[in-house]
Amino acid sequence: MRQWFRRITPTEETLRAHPSLRWMGPLLRRPWLWHLNRRRVALGAGIGVFFGFLIPVAQILGAAIFAILLRANLPVAAVATLVSNPFTYAPIFVLAYHTGAAVLGEEIKPEKAEALAAAVERPDEHSNGWVKRAKAIGKPLFLGLAIFAAIGGVIAWALVHLLWTVGVWLKRRRRQREVPEG
């Protein structure tokens, strides 16, 4: 599992060069931010997915701060924020709006969700059109994003724990088969 994670995660130098993380300079030198063990990687994945859903802008910064505070794996936290990206914003926002409206018991207004999705897909370069529309939708959208963030973070954490455990178990089993008897 470690080899796989090393291949997919960015290097320390890459993260130090990232514009939103550059100010953290000395903090990024902590060795435990780069350790690849099940607990730190799972926590990093959970933090990254949480901030990936919760904050549509500067999510890597939020994930990095909490990865440092909670001693999670920083590269995994940064990569996991990419669960939301320019290709997934629109469907996430629409589903979050529907989820939040259902939880609040509010009437779902498809035209609001469609307007938000259109603004996210084609942002106006001179204004924050999608921010204005997100504020107009209000509580349902932000409640839905918070629900997605909490559930997604827990699922990511549990999934990494499960996959890591299964990977270690399979590796041990393979080694036991390779050992000649006698």
Side-chain angles (χ1 to χ4, degrees):
M1 291 300 293
R2 284 188 181 138
Q3 293 162 350
W4 181 76
F5 274 112
R6 281 193 180 118
R7 278 197 318 265
I8 68 164
T9 56
T11 64
E12 186 175 348
E13 293 78 28
T14 305
L15 288 177
R16 279 194 198 147
H18 195 281
S20 66
L21 300 178
R22 208 173 292 141
W23 65 274
M24 292 182 166
L27 290 174
L28 297 178
R29 298 191 201 290
R30 313 281 178 176
W32 40 263
L33 288 175
W34 312 97
H35 284 189
L36 287 172
N37 61 42
R38 181 177 59 199
R39 189 184 80 69
R40 291 190 198 279
V41 169
L43 187 57
I47 290 169
V49 170
F50 179 83
F51 280 98
F53 279 124
L54 191 63
I55 304 172
V57 180
Q59 57 215 39
I60 292 177
L61 176 64
I65 290 170
F66 274 84
I68 290 169
L69 291 174
L70 299 174
R71 295 179 167 240
N73 185 285
L74 181 62
V76 171
V79 168
T81 62
L82 298 177
V83 68
S84 66
N85 56 62
F87 299 109
T88 61
Y89 284 148
I92 288 172
F93 280 18
V94 170
L95 289 172
Y97 169 71
H98 283 278
T99 302
V103 169
L104 291 172
E106 291 185 8
E107 181 183 344
I108 295 173
K109 298 176 181 167
E111 64 277 357
K112 282 189 173 184
E114 289 171 11
L116 176 65
V120 170
E121 288 175 354
R122 294 180 302 277
D124 187 13
E125 294 179 11
H126 300 292
S127 71
N128 292 331
W130 69 271
V131 173
K132 290 176 187 175
R133 288 197 173 94
K135 285 181 181 177
I137 291 175
K139 289 179 190 175
L141 173 64
F142 295 116
L143 177 61
L145 288 174
I147 290 169
F148 285 9
I151 292 173
V154 169
I155 288 172
W157 176 84
L159 192 60
V160 169
H161 265 288
L162 176 67
L163 291 175
W164 195 290
T165 302
V166 168
V168 169
W169 179 77
L170 289 173
K171 189 174 182 178
R172 284 183 185 158
R173 193 166 176 215
R174 198 175 318 120
R175 281 187 195 158
Q176 289 174 349
R177 286 185 187 161
E178 292 174 0
V179 174
E181 293 182 25

